[in-house]
Amino acid sequence: MASTVLLLALVLISLTIAFASDPSPLQDLCVADLTGAVSVNGFACRNPQMVQAGDFFFSGLHLAGNTTNPAGSKVTPVTVAQIPGLNTLGISMARIDYAPYGINPPHTHPRGTEIFTVIEGSLEVGFVTSNPENRLITKVLQKGDVFVFPVNLIHFQRNVGNCKAVAIAALSSQNPGVITIANAVFGSKPKIGSDVLVKAFQVDKNVINYLQSKF
Ligand SMILES: *[C@@H]1O[C@H](CO)[C@@H](O)[C@H](O)[C@H]1NC(C)=O
């Protein structure tokens, strides 16, 4: 009997984990008080009676991002930082622009699964599963194709066409976060000690110094 209860509890807990993204809202409106002093998991709510349509609104996703940078891509995020009304709702989006042969470098979203749609052009996309398999799951997408990047897994996109490409992504967090692998590893402030990186990447110290100078 006790073991049945325990089993049931474990099943329930695992179900909660499986379906959890951001916590579910407990009220209709919890528009973020982005400048508030109160620090909670997310943002404190503003007075719902003072909330305006503009708190649920963003304009500008028709505009292409500037892709003149070393990666040749630009992400325009639309998260709780841009739309305070997304607070507690567990969802956000982004527009990604790619120059010809541009890439969105390998990165992860620590708090959100991503569902990704190609609006223009063609993109090679991929993600890598965790240790020990580290399997690369990859596909070339055309306009209208949709692909999923599971939460936390390292993923990337590459424009495989000679013209620009555009994608729209939706993410299962109001604030999915981004960890760009190269920037985190080689561009941390302060730097990770080069002996750590020399052994981690099995390369010469000069290579590490060079990579650290790039990020
Ligand atoms: C795009 O970014 C590049 C590099 O920062 C800059 O030189 C250029 O003026 C920008 N272009 C536009 C249209 O803002």
Side-chain angles (χ1 to χ4, degrees):
M1 183 60 197
S3 66
T4 313
V5 170
L6 185 67
L7 187 69
L8 219 89
L10 283 173
V11 167
L12 283 175
I13 289 165
S14 68
L15 283 178
T16 312
I17 292 164
F19 293 119
S21 55
D22 290 358
S24 299
L26 303 175
Q27 63 281 300
D28 280 358
L29 306 179
C30 177
V31 171
D33 184 357
L34 294 175
T35 57
V38 180
S39 193
V40 294
N41 187 23
F43 294 97
C45 310
R46 286 183 9 220
N47 178 352
Q49 286 171 348
M50 305 301 281
V51 159
Q52 306 288 336
D55 295 316
F56 301 90
F57 175 78
F58 174 88
S59 175
L61 227 50
H62 60 301
L63 300 172
N66 184 344
T67 59
T68 308
N69 55 58
S73 72
K74 179 71 181 178
V75 177
T76 306
V78 186
T79 70
V80 69
Q82 287 77 33
I83 304 185
L86 282 177
N87 194 34
T88 74
L89 297 184
I91 195 167
S92 60
M93 66 183 297
R95 170 183 173 135
I96 310 106
D97 288 277
Y98 308 83
Y101 305 108
I103 63 144
N104 186 8
H107 64 280
T108 81
H109 302 294
R111 291 175 291 277
T113 288
E114 174 172 349
I115 186 163
F116 177 96
T117 311
V118 181
I119 300 299
E120 194 181 324
S122 45
L123 293 166
E124 177 195 12
V125 303
F127 65 83
V128 180
T129 66
S130 56
N131 300 352
E133 291 82 12
N134 298 136
R135 181 177 165 208
L136 172 65
I137 295 181
T138 181
K139 190 164 175 59
V140 174
L141 306 182
Q142 310 298 337
K143 180 175 177 173
D145 291 352
V146 176
F147 201 78
V148 172
F149 302 111
V151 63
N152 268 314
L153 299 187
I154 295 178
H155 59 281
F156 63 89
Q157 300 103 35
R158 180 167 75 106
N159 184 355
V160 288
N162 193 20
C163 40
K164 62 181 187 154
V166 183
I168 298 287
L171 297 115
S172 62
S173 170
Q174 66 177 38
N175 179 27
V178 186
I179 301 169
T180 303
I181 307 308
N183 300 52
V185 174
F186 299 111
S188 68
K189 296 172 209 72
K191 287 178 189 172
I192 297 175
S194 56
D195 16 337
V196 173
L197 298 178
V198 161
K199 285 192 176 132
F201 288 87
Q202 300 283 300
V203 292
D204 197 81
K205 192 169 186 294
N206 293 328
V207 178
I208 297 301
N209 290 344
Y210 175 74
L211 286 167
Q212 286 183 325
S213 75
K214 283 274 167 191
F215 294 94

